Amino acid sequence: MINRKAFHSLSSGLYLITAKKEGRQCGCVVNTLVQVASEPPTLSVALNKENATTDTVRATGRFCATVLDQETPMELIGTFGFHSSVDTDKFAVCKVGADGSEVPYVVDHGLARFSVRVTETIDVGSHYLFVGVVEEADVLGDGDALTYAYYHAIKGGKTPPKAATYNGGDEAFSAPAPAASSESGAIDGEGAPKRVAWRCSICGYIEEGYPDGLPADYMCPICGAGPEMFERIEL
Ligand code: FE
């Protein structure tokens, strides 16, 4: 038997993987970047076969990785994690650098960046596992690394369907408590009235200002979901 909850105990970080082919930049969010050897310094990353970034890494044999910090806004994660590079210029929303091979990497909210030359590609079903030697590595900033647990528990983030750790929407972590619930909202019969808000069930984005419901043409600014994907919450 396979108890999917067993996978929830695996810990990981959150990273941006970027690549470039014939002038076209692409990137995605992963939690599958791992150092697998020290000499030569070697990383592996698993990327979904349906990602545009995956095709680019397969074609060029190179990728960059940015280690994200805890302050990374959901908008940046959403842009890289819930949109396709085919129809979205993900790099328009952030500061970008380029390594010695002209592969772009995200600078904003980066703690460190790596440039990897792929030496082996392994077909692992839904994903390709790319193994490669680190050709460049540098520190970009100070702070704490964004872990997947923090992303879920504190930021209210969700797992995109194409992630290696996607378990059919069976989230590994419970949603965060509404921010005001431990303060004024917790006082029975007193305090400020609760505010109605709407939470995207795809990416976790919270929208306020529509107490009577989201407009029919509303679109989630993070993942593009329609109003039917939002659930009513109180803050
Ligand atoms: Fe969303």
Side-chain angles (χ1 to χ4, degrees), residues 96-182:
V96 179
D99 70 7
S101 299
E102 296 297 308
V103 180
Y105 59 87
V106 174
V107 175
D108 286 351
H109 294 284
L111 292 181
R113 59 107 178 168
F114 299 91
S115 292
V116 177
R117 177 174 53 81
V118 176
T119 55
E120 196 171 352
T121 301
I122 303 165
D123 187 332
V124 287
S126 59
H127 289 57
Y128 284 115
L129 180 66
F130 297 103
V131 180
V133 174
V134 175
E135 293 193 329
E136 297 179 29
D138 203 0
V139 172
L140 296 176
D142 296 324
D144 294 320
L146 176 58
T147 65
Y148 212 37
Y150 188 92
Y151 166 71
H152 280 286
I154 307 300
K155 290 180 174 292
K158 304 286 186 179
T159 304
K162 288 196 284 188
T165 50
Y166 182 70
N167 280 313
D170 176 22
E171 292 293 336
F173 308 91
S174 59
S181 64
S182 61

Side-chain angles (χ1 to χ4, degrees), residues 82 199-205 219-226 229-230:
F82 290 95
R199 179 164 55 207
C200 179
S201 61
I202 304 294
C203 73
Y205 177 78
M219 182 183 289
C220 176
I222 303 297
C223 71
M229 297 307 295
F230 279 73

Side-chain angles (χ1 to χ4, degrees), residues 1 7 23 43 47 54 62 71 92 101 131 161 197-198 203 222:
M1 68 106 170
F7 296 98
L43 298 179
L47 299 180
T54 308
R62 291 185 179 279
E71 308 306 317
S101 299
V131 180
W198 303 88
C203 73
I222 303 297

